[in-house]
């Protein structure tokens, strides 16, 4: 049972250079997490919004996990917790959805 984990964030930076830097940090840190849990994470990608910035979220993570238990392990993994602390400093809001792929 593959679980898709989608998280969206609004960046706190308002200037383009700050937004670029925040995204680069988030992408590097988040995508590296797949290497810490290769048996649990099928795929993990971070992208930046390119359309309708006035209404869309700024950054998204899409991760596929082998099971709900694998997602649970990811959530509490020490490296994930370290990255959470970094991301929290760069964002003002977060939204998440988890669902089963058929």
């Amino acid at each position: 049972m593959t679980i898709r984990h989608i998280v969206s964030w609004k960046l706190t930076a308002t200037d383009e250079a700050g937004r670029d830097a925040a995204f680069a940090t988030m992408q590097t840190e988040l995508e590296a997490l797949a290497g810490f849990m290769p048996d649990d994470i099928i795929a993990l990608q971070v992208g930046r919004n390119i359309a309708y910035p006035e209404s869309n979220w700024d950054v998204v993570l899409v991760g596929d996990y082998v099971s709900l238990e694998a997602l649970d392990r990811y959530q509490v993994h020490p490296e994930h917790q370290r990255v959470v602390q970094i991301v929290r400093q760069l964002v003002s809001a977060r939204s998440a959805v988890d669902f089963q792929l058929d």
Side-chain angles (χ1 to χ4, degrees):
M1 162 180 62
T2 300
I3 301 297
R4 178 154 291 162
H5 175 62
I6 300 175
V7 184
S8 299
W9 295 275
K10 286 283 190 178
L11 297 173
T12 56
T14 55
D15 62 292
E16 200 59 30
R19 295 168 69 74
D20 288 346
F23 172 73
T25 297
M26 291 174 71
Q27 183 177 38
T28 298
E29 293 288 345
L30 289 163
E31 288 184 351
L33 292 172
F36 289 94
M37 304 183 73
D39 294 335
D40 288 336
I41 300 173
I42 298 166
L44 194 142
Q45 183 175 13
V46 177
R48 186 170 178 186
N49 180 57
I50 60 166
Y52 319 111
E54 65 283 348
S55 59
N56 286 354
W57 292 71
D58 299 313
V59 178
V60 66
L61 173 144
V62 178
D64 291 340
Y65 301 79
V66 297
S67 66
L68 186 56
E69 294 78 16
L71 176 60
D72 289 342
R73 286 189 294 273
Y74 166 80
Q75 294 294 344
V76 298
H77 191 282
E79 193 61 21
H80 176 254
Q81 291 300 308
R82 181 190 69 78
V83 173
V84 164
Q85 297 307 312
I86 294 168
V87 170
R88 282 186 179 158
Q89 296 175 35
L90 303 172
V91 303
S92 60
R94 176 188 178 274
S95 171
V97 174
D98 302 299
F99 60 95
Q100 181 177 332
L101 296 178
D102 293 329

